[in-house]
Amino acid sequence: MRAQIALFVEGDLLCVRHRKASAEYLVLPGGHLDRGETLWEAAVREMREETGMTVEDGRLWAISEFHGDGRQVLDCTFYAARWSGRPILGSDPDAEGHPASLVGIEWVGRDSFADAPFRPTLLGRWMRAHWEDPGAPAVILTVWGAGYKAADV
């Protein structure tokens, strides 16, 4: 289970760049929960660790679930409503022993996001359709191998 935050400023989305083997891709700042943390606490901590930003308020925006390649991943995405600070590349304590490493931070506009190497792709498609829409109803996105389905919550 992972918790992450979508933070928009003037039409741009804050993303972090990861490298795994020779591939680079974008994800939302976030990571795994520490023992005893709530989803929100984990998302806020991960945002601070990876970007230096402090998120003070937000709401659940999407839950995406992936089943495949012998694993299951559940991402809980929060929409940042109030924050402070300026983004700087931080560290990723989860990277120890993990094949992906944090290598950059960038703001991505809606138009360029369509061609960006964002993961997970299903969440990326949903986010692009609801860009900067804090009123969008929370959604559950599920990927089973190559197919997917979506349901409102």
Side-chain angles (χ1 to χ4, degrees):
M1 182 175 294
R2 297 181 70 256
Q4 56 194 14
I5 294 180
L7 190 153
F8 293 89
V9 173
E10 297 178 6
D12 293 339
L13 174 66
L14 181 63
C15 293
V16 292
R17 183 170 290 276
H18 281 208
R19 180 179 297 132
K20 184 175 182 180
S22 61
E24 287 195 8
Y25 54 92
L26 299 174
V27 296
L28 294 176
H32 298 282
L33 281 70
D34 286 344
R35 187 173 197 84
E37 273 186 319
T38 66
L39 290 165
W40 176 250
E41 290 166 345
V44 168
R45 175 186 50 77
E46 288 284 347
M47 175 68 88
R48 187 177 52 253
E49 288 173 354
E50 294 181 5
T51 71
M53 302 280 290
T54 299
V55 177
E56 298 146 2
D57 190 22
R59 73 169 191 88
L60 184 62
W61 200 36
I63 297 172
S64 50
E65 183 178 22
F66 171 80
H67 296 265
D69 299 330
R71 63 191 183 113
Q72 177 182 4
V73 178
L74 183 68
D75 286 318
C76 297
T77 304
F78 292 90
Y79 187 101
R82 194 176 65 228
W83 61 89
S84 61
R86 297 178 60 141
I88 56 168
L89 182 61
S91 63
D92 186 359
D94 291 338
E96 193 170 312
H98 194 278
S101 59
L102 181 65
V103 296
I105 187 169
E106 56 193 83
W107 292 100
V108 182
R110 187 175 190 269
D111 291 338
S112 60
F113 187 80
D115 298 319
F118 183 84
R119 292 185 186 174
T121 55
L122 179 60
L123 177 62
R125 286 195 301 265
W126 184 85
M127 286 181 7
R128 188 160 191 278
H130 298 87
W131 203 259
E132 280 195 291
D133 183 4
V139 68
I140 297 174
L141 307 165
T142 303
V143 177
W144 292 90
Y148 71 90
K149 56 187 174 182
D152 288 333
V153 280

